[in-house]
Amino acid sequence: MKVSGYQMFWLICISSIIVVSYLPIHLAAEHARQDCWISILLGGLVMMAVTWVMLRVCMQNKDKTIVVFIKDLLGTVLGKIIVIVYFLLWFLQMSTIAKGNAEFVNLVLMHNTPMIIILLFMLFLVAYAVYKGGITTVSRCAEVIGPIFVFTLFIQLFLNPQDMEVTRVLPIYSDSGWLKILKGALHSYTYMVDPSIILMLFFFAENKQTASRAILWGTGVSMIWGVLAALALLFVTGPDIATQLVIPVYSLTKFISILNFIQNIDALYIPLWVFGAFIKLAVSLFILSYGLSEWTGIRNWKYIACGMTVILLTFLIYSSYNIQISYTLKSTFLVRIFYPFAYFAIPLTLWTIGSMKKRRKLSV
C-alpha cells in the first residue's frame, strides 16, 4: 500500500478541516469572544510547529512505522507503553468525529432516527472501505472528494456579504486581553488537527520529500480555512451567538441568500460534511488497526479493524447514556496533561534521541 504526495495532501487537508469544523471555533469563542480568530491563529501556528517536529521524526525513520521506531529509540518495553498514548489519541479522535457526525446527521436529516442506527451504518461503511482496500481505497476517495470539498468550503465563507459587519469583531484585543486569547488557544488547539496521524501515514508515502511538503501544505490550508471560518462566523453572527451554535460552520450556510434566489445551499454542504467525516474516520481506523497489529503481533490488521469498529460503536452507545464520559473531551487532564504530552513531549524527545543517534553514527 502506497500513498502519493497528491493523495497525502488531500488526506491531511480533509482530516484537518473536518476536525477544525467541530469544536475549536466554539471553544475559542467561549473564552476569547470576538478575538477567537486570534486564538485559532495562534493554535494553528502551534500545530504547524508540532507537524514540522513530527515530520523531522518521520524523516529520521523513513522506513518504519511509529510502533517500530519508537521501540528502537526508547526500548521495547517503554516504547510499547508510550505508543499506547497515540492509540488512545486516535481512538478519542474517532469517537469525537463519529459522535459529532451522527449528531449532525440526526439534527439536519434524520430527526426521528435513533442514533444507534446512524452510527451503525456509518461505521459499517468506514470499516468496509478499510477492510477491502486499506489506505489505498481511502486515499483514492480523498483525491476525488478533496478538490470539491475544499473549494466548496472556502467559497461558502464569502457567499453572504450582505450579513457581514466588520464591527462585530471590534474592538480587537482590548476586551479580551492576552490571557483570555491564550486560554482560548489552549482549549482549542488540540482539536484543530491531529498531526500524530502522520507518524503512521508517512510510512506508506511513495516519495518522502514530496509527502513532507504535501503534509505541511495540507495542514496550512486547513489552518487558513479555520481562521477565515472564525472571522466569517463573527462577521455574520457576532461572538454571543457564535458561542451558542451547536455546529458554527454549518450555521453559516443557513444565512446565505443571494438575490433571494440562491438559498438553502446547506443541502450541498451536508453530503460534503459526511464525505469528509468518512475520510477522517477511515484514516484513523486504518492507522489504529495497523498500529495495533504491529503492537500485538497479529498479522491480519483487517480483523483488528473490524474489532475496533465494534469497540468504538459500543463506546459511543455507552457514552451517550453517561454524562461524565460524554464530557470527557473537556476534562482538565486531557487539555493540560494528555494532549501536551502527546503533541509536544513525546515528539521532541523522539527527535532529540534520533538526532543524537544520528550524530554518533556520523562521528563513528
Side-chain angles (χ1 to χ4, degrees):
M1 294 181 289
K2 290 296 180 180
V3 179
S4 67
Y6 181 74
Q7 291 172 335
M8 186 71 76
F9 170 81
W10 291 117
L11 285 173
I12 298 299
C13 190
I14 294 173
S15 298
S16 300
I17 287 180
I18 281 296
V19 177
V20 173
S21 300
Y22 277 90
L23 286 173
I25 298 175
H26 174 78
L27 294 175
E30 283 183 346
H31 299 281
R33 308 289 292 171
Q34 71 268 20
D35 293 319
C36 67
W37 66 274
I38 303 178
S39 297
I40 297 295
L41 178 61
L42 291 176
L45 293 175
V46 169
M47 296 313 280
M48 281 292 292
V50 172
T51 302
W52 186 85
V53 172
M54 288 187 175
L55 277 175
R56 296 304 95 198
V57 175
C58 291
M59 290 299 289
Q60 289 176 345
N61 306 272
K62 294 180 180 180
D63 301 318
K64 302 175 184 176
T65 63
I66 181 175
V67 178
V68 177
F69 72 68
I70 205 169
K71 286 195 296 183
D72 292 343
L73 295 175
L74 300 179
T76 303
V77 177
L78 183 59
K80 278 201 166 188
I81 295 173
I82 293 297
V83 81
I84 294 175
V85 172
Y86 290 106
F87 293 158
L88 292 174
L89 179 62
W90 296 335
F91 186 83
L92 281 174
Q93 284 279 349
M94 288 178 63
S95 63
T96 305
I97 300 301
K99 188 173 183 180
N101 190 54
E103 291 174 348
F104 173 74
V105 172
N106 182 262
L107 178 67
V108 301
L109 285 178
M110 304 175 180
H111 303 289
N112 298 319
T113 304
M115 291 285 289
I116 186 174
I117 301 299
I118 300 174
L119 286 169
L120 190 62
F121 279 95
M122 177 176 60
L123 294 180
F124 172 79
L125 180 62
V126 171
Y128 179 78
V130 172
Y131 183 86
K132 294 298 289 184
I135 195 62
T136 303
T137 297
V138 180
S139 60
R140 287 176 180 174
C141 290
E143 69 176 328
V144 174
I145 298 168
I148 304 171
F149 178 81
V150 174
F151 176 78
T152 304
L153 289 187
F154 269 95
I155 291 297
Q156 163 215 335
L157 301 178
F158 305 99
L159 288 182
N160 45 4
Q162 71 279 358
D163 296 321
M164 292 184 176
E165 292 185 18
V166 180
T167 56
R168 291 190 175 120
V169 300
L170 301 177
I172 296 175
Y173 174 72
S174 59
D175 281 356
S176 303
W178 281 114
L179 184 61
K180 291 183 178 178
I181 292 174
L182 290 175
K183 193 174 181 180
L186 175 65
H187 283 78
S188 61
Y189 83 92
T190 50
Y191 306 109
M192 289 183 187
V193 296
D194 183 17
S196 65
I197 63 175
I198 67 177
L199 294 174
M200 182 64 76
L201 281 181
F202 200 79
F203 170 75
F204 300 95
E206 284 181 345
N207 186 303
K208 307 302 183 183
Q209 291 293 341
T210 304
S212 299
R213 292 193 295 269
I215 289 168
L216 289 174
W217 274 106
T219 306
V221 169
S222 63
M223 290 297 98
I224 292 171
W225 183 85
V227 175
L228 291 177
L231 283 170
L233 183 66
L234 291 172
F235 288 157
V236 174
T237 66
D240 293 326
I241 297 178
T243 57
Q244 299 173 12
L245 294 174
V246 179
I247 308 173
V249 178
Y250 168 72
S251 301
L252 284 176
T253 62
K254 306 294 288 185
F255 292 95
I256 294 174
S257 176
I258 301 176
L259 301 175
N260 291 323
F261 178 70
I262 299 179
Q263 296 176 330
N264 300 322
I265 70 163
D266 52 304
L268 176 64
Y269 180 80
I270 292 169
L272 288 175
W273 182 292
V274 175
F275 279 138
F278 162 76
I279 296 297
K280 174 61 179 175
L281 287 171
V283 169
S284 299
L285 179 62
F286 172 76
I287 61 175
L288 178 59
S289 305
Y290 199 92
L292 282 171
S293 173
E294 292 189 318
W295 192 80
T296 58
I298 300 174
R299 292 186 178 182
N300 198 329
W301 58 267
K302 294 183 178 182
Y303 294 152
I304 296 179
C306 296
M308 287 308 304
T309 304
V310 175
I311 293 172
L312 177 62
L313 179 62
T314 306
F315 174 79
L316 290 172
I317 294 172
Y318 178 70
S319 65
S320 64
Y321 295 101
N322 190 307
I323 297 177
Q324 185 176 359
I325 292 180
S326 65
Y327 280 91
T328 299
L329 291 172
K330 292 187 177 182
S331 71
T332 303
F333 170 76
L334 288 179
V335 174
R336 297 185 179 179
I337 300 176
F338 182 78
Y339 289 124
F341 184 67
Y343 288 134
F344 300 106
I346 297 178
L348 288 172
T349 301
L350 295 176
W351 187 27
T352 302
I353 295 175
S355 300
M356 291 173 62
K357 285 190 173 184
K358 187 177 180 179
R359 289 176 183 175
R360 287 179 182 175
K361 288 182 180 179
L362 293 174
S363 62
V364 174

